[in-house]
Amino acid sequence: MLEAKDLYKSFGSIKAVNGISFSVAKGEVLGFLGPNGAGKTTTMRMLTGFLPPASGTATVCGHDMLSNPVEAKAQIGYLPENAPAYDSMTVENFLKFSAEIRGYRGKELQTKVETAMERCQLRDVQRQTIHTLSKGYRQRTCFAQAVLSDPPVLIMDEPTDGLDPNQKHTVRKMIKEMSSNKAIIISTHILEEVEAVCTRAIIINKGCIVANGTPDELKKKSDTGRLDDVFRSLTIGREESK
Amino acid sequence: MRSLMNIATIFKRELKSYFEAPVAYVFMVVFLVLIGALTFMWPGFPLFERGVADLASFFAWIPIVYLLLVPASTMGLWAEEQRTGTIELLLTMPITLGDAIIGKFLAAWLFIVIGLALTFPVIITVNYLGDPDMGVIFCGYIGAALLAGCYVAVGLFTSATTKSQVISFVLSLTICFILVMAGTPFITNLFSEWAWVITVVSTLSFWTHFESIQRGVLDMGDIIYYLSVMTFMIFATYIVIDNRKSA
Ligand SMILES: Nc1ncnc2c1ncn2[C@@H]1O[C@H](COP(=O)(O)OP(=O)(O)OP(=O)(O)O)[C@@H](O)[C@H]1O
Ligand SMILES: [Mg+2]
């Protein structure tokens, strides 16, 4: 449902993304792993059409992001890094705005917003303005915005960042529940999360994919059979050899 | 059709966000107090000075007072989106960049026009004091609304170039100031030797085009001038946002 082909992007002399290709099918939850600055966020920004790639293409449900951006974007729910949201709006109004921009009106809009608030447990703060929210609630608000329209593709940049253990659990459960009829990409620094929710993981280092496989396949790459050892050997090892 | 609905959605959010924050009311009050005070105090209310009831001094002050009000109201349009990262949400939603720009532009323009409409007590006052030519006043207000559109378009553009509201404010104030002053005698006299320079500079100036509208002449040329400035600035905004390298 989502395909990235040969994505490149550099910022000045920094090669942020250096030829990344992969695809995600329906029912898959793909985990993006990689050290800070590896290019995970930049890749997601190209997939969602926020940044134009220097070269390469992203295709979402058959719509090319460059030639048909509006259709392609309509298929994606996106939770950007650090959960940006309009600070002066209330949680409810913010969700209403994103529902409206996704084409919902009237009763249908109301239902979508209510359901999203219910699922993301935002009832308590629904009338609070966003700048007064705690980090976790802001994260959940932005998460709610991403899943509100039940899009076929979900792209989430560190979705559990800043959540308490209960909420982390809830979010992972939601991602798993939704995954049956969606293609999902999440980036994370928490390796247990990969084992808990991802059906496949990609490790990115310095803008290149250094590993791609199911969590079990990845674990086999190390003698200890632990994901963090694999991660370390693939990402630090590279650095030292250069 | 879908584009219009998106523009309407952006427009509504933007306009609401003005009134959600107290600064909007502050701008509005400062604008009204300033324009009111200037109109009646300096250079002397025309009715007393010249024995004519009109709003000449009101309209003469409009381009100057806008220099504060408009950049202050437009500085956040894109700068704030870029600073807080909401631009990433906005531009990954299923709308075009053009929809977002036009929605924001219209909201900011309407905000200024609301401020302009709230100056209606000056009309009541001159009508109470004398018998002004309402046609001229009407024409002046149309001109003032169009002029507001140009200032807003400049502010929209400068806001797109930076993450900082302060920089956006200073830039748009400067650009508008230059565009206004270019047509005034202070500047045109500098070029008295070269007639063509005067023509070029004053044709590009807000001042020149606003002057004739104030006299009660709604000239097609002036209207086209205003609309072109707005179109140009909106287009420039599009280019700037579309080409921003960083996020
Ligand atoms: N707007 C920008 N301007 C300049 N350089 C940038 C910009 N955005 C990203 N970079 C650079 O691109 C590289 C990749 O950054 P990116 O944000 O994609 O990393 P990441 O994998 O998401 O890291 P993290 O785990 O810290 O979130 C980094 O070296 C970063 O400094
Ligand atoms: Mg990141």
PDB file of all heavy atoms in Angstrom, chain B residues 20-42:
ATOM      1  N   GLU B  20      -9.413  34.109  19.465  1.00  0.00           N
ATOM      2  CA  GLU B  20      -9.137  33.274  20.639  1.00  0.00           C
ATOM      3  C   GLU B  20      -8.021  33.883  21.483  1.00  0.00           C
ATOM      4  O   GLU B  20      -7.902  33.606  22.662  1.00  0.00           O
ATOM      5  CB  GLU B  20      -8.705  31.870  20.192  1.00  0.00           C
ATOM      6  CG  GLU B  20      -9.868  30.911  20.033  1.00  0.00           C
ATOM      7  CD  GLU B  20      -9.502  29.699  19.193  1.00  0.00           C
ATOM      8  OE1 GLU B  20      -8.335  29.551  18.790  1.00  0.00           O
ATOM      9  OE2 GLU B  20     -10.411  28.896  18.931  1.00  0.00           O
ATOM     10  N   ALA B  21      -7.181  34.692  20.828  1.00  0.00           N
ATOM     11  CA  ALA B  21      -6.050  35.259  21.565  1.00  0.00           C
ATOM     12  C   ALA B  21      -6.333  36.724  21.886  1.00  0.00           C
ATOM     13  O   ALA B  21      -6.887  37.442  21.056  1.00  0.00           O
ATOM     14  CB  ALA B  21      -4.793  35.145  20.710  1.00  0.00           C
ATOM     15  N   PRO B  22      -5.969  37.161  23.084  1.00  0.00           N
ATOM     16  CA  PRO B  22      -6.268  38.541  23.482  1.00  0.00           C
ATOM     17  C   PRO B  22      -5.540  39.587  22.633  1.00  0.00           C
ATOM     18  O   PRO B  22      -6.021  40.700  22.512  1.00  0.00           O
ATOM     19  CB  PRO B  22      -5.796  38.607  24.933  1.00  0.00           C
ATOM     20  CG  PRO B  22      -4.894  37.441  25.118  1.00  0.00           C
ATOM     21  CD  PRO B  22      -5.334  36.406  24.147  1.00  0.00           C
ATOM     22  N   VAL B  23      -4.412  39.193  22.011  1.00  0.00           N
ATOM     23  CA  VAL B  23      -3.658  40.186  21.232  1.00  0.00           C
ATOM     24  C   VAL B  23      -4.515  40.823  20.148  1.00  0.00           C
ATOM     25  O   VAL B  23      -4.365  42.006  19.852  1.00  0.00           O
ATOM     26  CB  VAL B  23      -2.385  39.591  20.586  1.00  0.00           C
ATOM     27  CG1 VAL B  23      -1.262  39.544  21.569  1.00  0.00           C
ATOM     28  CG2 VAL B  23      -2.657  38.262  19.958  1.00  0.00           C
ATOM     29  N   ALA B  24      -5.427  40.033  19.570  1.00  0.00           N
ATOM     30  CA  ALA B  24      -6.261  40.569  18.500  1.00  0.00           C
ATOM     31  C   ALA B  24      -7.044  41.779  18.990  1.00  0.00           C
ATOM     32  O   ALA B  24      -7.139  42.792  18.302  1.00  0.00           O
ATOM     33  CB  ALA B  24      -7.215  39.491  18.002  1.00  0.00           C
ATOM     34  N   TYR B  25      -7.578  41.658  20.186  1.00  0.00           N
ATOM     35  CA  TYR B  25      -8.364  42.768  20.733  1.00  0.00           C
ATOM     36  C   TYR B  25      -7.465  43.964  21.010  1.00  0.00           C
ATOM     37  O   TYR B  25      -7.853  45.107  20.805  1.00  0.00           O
ATOM     38  CB  TYR B  25      -9.099  42.330  21.997  1.00  0.00           C
ATOM     39  CG  TYR B  25     -10.084  41.211  21.721  1.00  0.00           C
ATOM     40  CD1 TYR B  25      -9.739  39.888  21.958  1.00  0.00           C
ATOM     41  CD2 TYR B  25     -11.340  41.486  21.193  1.00  0.00           C
ATOM     42  CE1 TYR B  25     -10.616  38.855  21.671  1.00  0.00           C
ATOM     43  CE2 TYR B  25     -12.224  40.466  20.908  1.00  0.00           C
ATOM     44  CZ  TYR B  25     -11.866  39.149  21.146  1.00  0.00           C
ATOM     45  OH  TYR B  25     -12.737  38.145  20.858  1.00  0.00           O
ATOM     46  N   VAL B  26      -6.249  43.669  21.459  1.00  0.00           N
ATOM     47  CA  VAL B  26      -5.307  44.757  21.720  1.00  0.00           C
ATOM     48  C   VAL B  26      -5.009  45.513  20.421  1.00  0.00           C
ATOM     49  O   VAL B  26      -5.102  46.737  20.364  1.00  0.00           O
ATOM     50  CB  VAL B  26      -3.998  44.202  22.340  1.00  0.00           C
ATOM     51  CG1 VAL B  26      -2.972  45.312  22.509  1.00  0.00           C
ATOM     52  CG2 VAL B  26      -4.289  43.540  23.674  1.00  0.00           C
ATOM     53  N   PHE B  27      -4.706  44.762  19.368  1.00  0.00           N
ATOM     54  CA  PHE B  27      -4.425  45.407  18.070  1.00  0.00           C
ATOM     55  C   PHE B  27      -5.597  46.278  17.657  1.00  0.00           C
ATOM     56  O   PHE B  27      -5.428  47.408  17.207  1.00  0.00           O
ATOM     57  CB  PHE B  27      -4.225  44.362  16.964  1.00  0.00           C
ATOM     58  CG  PHE B  27      -3.018  43.514  17.136  1.00  0.00           C
ATOM     59  CD1 PHE B  27      -2.910  42.305  16.456  1.00  0.00           C
ATOM     60  CD2 PHE B  27      -1.979  43.905  17.960  1.00  0.00           C
ATOM     61  CE1 PHE B  27      -1.797  41.502  16.599  1.00  0.00           C
ATOM     62  CE2 PHE B  27      -0.854  43.111  18.114  1.00  0.00           C
ATOM     63  CZ  PHE B  27      -0.773  41.902  17.426  1.00  0.00           C
ATOM     64  N   MET B  28      -6.774  45.706  17.776  1.00  0.00           N
ATOM     65  CA  MET B  28      -7.986  46.379  17.327  1.00  0.00           C
ATOM     66  C   MET B  28      -8.170  47.692  18.081  1.00  0.00           C
ATOM     67  O   MET B  28      -8.423  48.732  17.484  1.00  0.00           O
ATOM     68  CB  MET B  28      -9.156  45.423  17.601  1.00  0.00           C
ATOM     69  CG  MET B  28     -10.263  45.469  16.613  1.00  0.00           C
ATOM     70  SD  MET B  28      -9.704  45.123  14.944  1.00  0.00           S
ATOM     71  CE  MET B  28     -10.728  43.764  14.496  1.00  0.00           C
ATOM     72  N   VAL B  29      -8.032  47.622  19.403  1.00  0.00           N
ATOM     73  CA  VAL B  29      -8.245  48.811  20.219  1.00  0.00           C
ATOM     74  C   VAL B  29      -7.178  49.864  19.905  1.00  0.00           C
ATOM     75  O   VAL B  29      -7.490  51.044  19.705  1.00  0.00           O
ATOM     76  CB  VAL B  29      -8.232  48.448  21.726  1.00  0.00           C
ATOM     77  CG1 VAL B  29      -8.191  49.713  22.578  1.00  0.00           C
ATOM     78  CG2 VAL B  29      -9.448  47.609  22.067  1.00  0.00           C
ATOM     79  N   VAL B  30      -5.927  49.418  19.811  1.00  0.00           N
ATOM     80  CA  VAL B  30      -4.855  50.369  19.502  1.00  0.00           C
ATOM     81  C   VAL B  30      -5.123  51.034  18.152  1.00  0.00           C
ATOM     82  O   VAL B  30      -5.010  52.249  18.007  1.00  0.00           O
ATOM     83  CB  VAL B  30      -3.475  49.653  19.494  1.00  0.00           C
ATOM     84  CG1 VAL B  30      -2.396  50.566  18.938  1.00  0.00           C
ATOM     85  CG2 VAL B  30      -3.121  49.192  20.892  1.00  0.00           C
ATOM     86  N   PHE B  31      -5.533  50.226  17.193  1.00  0.00           N
ATOM     87  CA  PHE B  31      -5.827  50.761  15.860  1.00  0.00           C
ATOM     88  C   PHE B  31      -6.917  51.833  15.941  1.00  0.00           C
ATOM     89  O   PHE B  31      -6.766  52.939  15.421  1.00  0.00           O
ATOM     90  CB  PHE B  31      -6.259  49.621  14.942  1.00  0.00           C
ATOM     91  CG  PHE B  31      -6.867  50.055  13.630  1.00  0.00           C
ATOM     92  CD1 PHE B  31      -6.109  50.708  12.674  1.00  0.00           C
ATOM     93  CD2 PHE B  31      -8.216  49.795  13.349  1.00  0.00           C
ATOM     94  CE1 PHE B  31      -6.664  51.097  11.462  1.00  0.00           C
ATOM     95  CE2 PHE B  31      -8.780  50.186  12.145  1.00  0.00           C
ATOM     96  CZ  PHE B  31      -8.002  50.832  11.202  1.00  0.00           C
ATOM     97  N   LEU B  32      -8.006  51.495  16.620  1.00  0.00           N
ATOM     98  CA  LEU B  32      -9.146  52.418  16.667  1.00  0.00           C
ATOM     99  C   LEU B  32      -8.783  53.701  17.413  1.00  0.00           C
ATOM    100  O   LEU B  32      -9.119  54.803  16.977  1.00  0.00           O
ATOM    101  CB  LEU B  32     -10.353  51.731  17.311  1.00  0.00           C
ATOM    102  CG  LEU B  32     -10.916  50.575  16.483  1.00  0.00           C
ATOM    103  CD1 LEU B  32     -12.002  49.834  17.244  1.00  0.00           C
ATOM    104  CD2 LEU B  32     -11.440  51.077  15.142  1.00  0.00           C
ATOM    105  N   VAL B  33      -8.073  53.551  18.509  1.00  0.00           N
ATOM    106  CA  VAL B  33      -7.689  54.734  19.290  1.00  0.00           C
ATOM    107  C   VAL B  33      -6.752  55.615  18.465  1.00  0.00           C
ATOM    108  O   VAL B  33      -6.928  56.829  18.365  1.00  0.00           O
ATOM    109  CB  VAL B  33      -7.002  54.308  20.611  1.00  0.00           C
ATOM    110  CG1 VAL B  33      -6.337  55.501  21.288  1.00  0.00           C
ATOM    111  CG2 VAL B  33      -8.016  53.659  21.543  1.00  0.00           C
ATOM    112  N   LEU B  34      -5.781  54.957  17.839  1.00  0.00           N
ATOM    113  CA  LEU B  34      -4.791  55.691  17.071  1.00  0.00           C
ATOM    114  C   LEU B  34      -5.427  56.434  15.896  1.00  0.00           C
ATOM    115  O   LEU B  34      -5.232  57.644  15.721  1.00  0.00           O
ATOM    116  CB  LEU B  34      -3.765  54.688  16.539  1.00  0.00           C
ATOM    117  CG  LEU B  34      -2.323  55.136  16.437  1.00  0.00           C
ATOM    118  CD1 LEU B  34      -1.845  55.629  17.785  1.00  0.00           C
ATOM    119  CD2 LEU B  34      -1.458  53.967  15.967  1.00  0.00           C
ATOM    120  N   ILE B  35      -6.227  55.721  15.123  1.00  0.00           N
ATOM    121  CA  ILE B  35      -6.807  56.361  13.938  1.00  0.00           C
ATOM    122  C   ILE B  35      -7.791  57.450  14.367  1.00  0.00           C
ATOM    123  O   ILE B  35      -7.867  58.519  13.762  1.00  0.00           O
ATOM    124  CB  ILE B  35      -7.461  55.320  12.985  1.00  0.00           C
ATOM    125  CG1 ILE B  35      -7.826  55.949  11.639  1.00  0.00           C
ATOM    126  CG2 ILE B  35      -8.698  54.683  13.560  1.00  0.00           C
ATOM    127  CD1 ILE B  35      -6.673  56.158  10.725  1.00  0.00           C
ATOM    128  N   GLY B  36      -8.514  57.190  15.462  1.00  0.00           N
ATOM    129  CA  GLY B  36      -9.456  58.194  15.970  1.00  0.00           C
ATOM    130  C   GLY B  36      -8.728  59.449  16.408  1.00  0.00           C
ATOM    131  O   GLY B  36      -9.059  60.570  15.992  1.00  0.00           O
ATOM    132  N   ALA B  37      -7.702  59.248  17.198  1.00  0.00           N
ATOM    133  CA  ALA B  37      -6.960  60.388  17.733  1.00  0.00           C
ATOM    134  C   ALA B  37      -6.316  61.187  16.607  1.00  0.00           C
ATOM    135  O   ALA B  37      -6.435  62.413  16.547  1.00  0.00           O
ATOM    136  CB  ALA B  37      -5.896  59.895  18.710  1.00  0.00           C
ATOM    137  N   LEU B  38      -5.673  60.481  15.689  1.00  0.00           N
ATOM    138  CA  LEU B  38      -4.970  61.175  14.608  1.00  0.00           C
ATOM    139  C   LEU B  38      -5.941  61.945  13.718  1.00  0.00           C
ATOM    140  O   LEU B  38      -5.675  63.073  13.313  1.00  0.00           O
ATOM    141  CB  LEU B  38      -4.162  60.170  13.773  1.00  0.00           C
ATOM    142  CG  LEU B  38      -2.961  59.555  14.496  1.00  0.00           C
ATOM    143  CD1 LEU B  38      -2.379  58.402  13.707  1.00  0.00           C
ATOM    144  CD2 LEU B  38      -1.896  60.617  14.742  1.00  0.00           C
ATOM    145  N   THR B  39      -7.081  61.301  13.433  1.00  0.00           N
ATOM    146  CA  THR B  39      -8.059  61.946  12.559  1.00  0.00           C
ATOM    147  C   THR B  39      -8.537  63.273  13.138  1.00  0.00           C
ATOM    148  O   THR B  39      -8.652  64.272  12.437  1.00  0.00           O
ATOM    149  CB  THR B  39      -9.279  61.017  12.367  1.00  0.00           C
ATOM    150  OG1 THR B  39      -8.816  59.792  11.830  1.00  0.00           O
ATOM    151  CG2 THR B  39     -10.294  61.640  11.437  1.00  0.00           C
ATOM    152  N   PHE B  40      -8.818  63.254  14.439  1.00  0.00           N
ATOM    153  CA  PHE B  40      -9.436  64.440  15.028  1.00  0.00           C
ATOM    154  C   PHE B  40      -8.428  65.457  15.543  1.00  0.00           C
ATOM    155  O   PHE B  40      -8.757  66.606  15.737  1.00  0.00           O
ATOM    156  CB  PHE B  40     -10.400  64.030  16.152  1.00  0.00           C
ATOM    157  CG  PHE B  40     -11.628  63.367  15.611  1.00  0.00           C
ATOM    158  CD1 PHE B  40     -11.793  61.994  15.706  1.00  0.00           C
ATOM    159  CD2 PHE B  40     -12.603  64.122  14.974  1.00  0.00           C
ATOM    160  CE1 PHE B  40     -12.921  61.385  15.174  1.00  0.00           C
ATOM    161  CE2 PHE B  40     -13.737  63.514  14.442  1.00  0.00           C
ATOM    162  CZ  PHE B  40     -13.896  62.138  14.549  1.00  0.00           C
ATOM    163  N   MET B  41      -7.190  65.037  15.763  1.00  0.00           N
ATOM    164  CA  MET B  41      -6.253  65.951  16.417  1.00  0.00           C
ATOM    165  C   MET B  41      -5.233  66.566  15.484  1.00  0.00           C
ATOM    166  O   MET B  41      -4.749  67.646  15.738  1.00  0.00           O
ATOM    167  CB  MET B  41      -5.511  65.222  17.516  1.00  0.00           C
ATOM    168  CG  MET B  41      -6.397  65.001  18.701  1.00  0.00           C
ATOM    169  SD  MET B  41      -5.491  63.951  19.829  1.00  0.00           S
ATOM    170  CE  MET B  41      -6.779  63.519  20.941  1.00  0.00           C
ATOM    171  N   TRP B  42      -4.876  65.855  14.462  1.00  0.00           N
ATOM    172  CA  TRP B  42      -3.770  66.344  13.669  1.00  0.00           C
ATOM    173  C   TRP B  42      -3.987  65.999  12.222  1.00  0.00           C
ATOM    174  O   TRP B  42      -4.345  64.885  11.929  1.00  0.00           O
ATOM    175  CB  TRP B  42      -2.463  65.705  14.161  1.00  0.00           C
ATOM    176  CG  TRP B  42      -1.260  66.495  13.805  1.00  0.00           C
ATOM    177  CD1 TRP B  42      -0.750  67.576  14.458  1.00  0.00           C
ATOM    178  CD2 TRP B  42      -0.419  66.261  12.678  1.00  0.00           C
ATOM    179  NE1 TRP B  42       0.353  68.037  13.819  1.00  0.00           N
ATOM    180  CE2 TRP B  42       0.584  67.255  12.726  1.00  0.00           C
ATOM    181  CE3 TRP B  42      -0.423  65.336  11.626  1.00  0.00           C
ATOM    182  CZ2 TRP B  42       1.573  67.339  11.747  1.00  0.00           C
ATOM    183  CZ3 TRP B  42       0.570  65.418  10.680  1.00  0.00           C
ATOM    184  CH2 TRP B  42       1.568  66.410  10.752  1.00  0.00           C
TER     185      TRP B  42
END
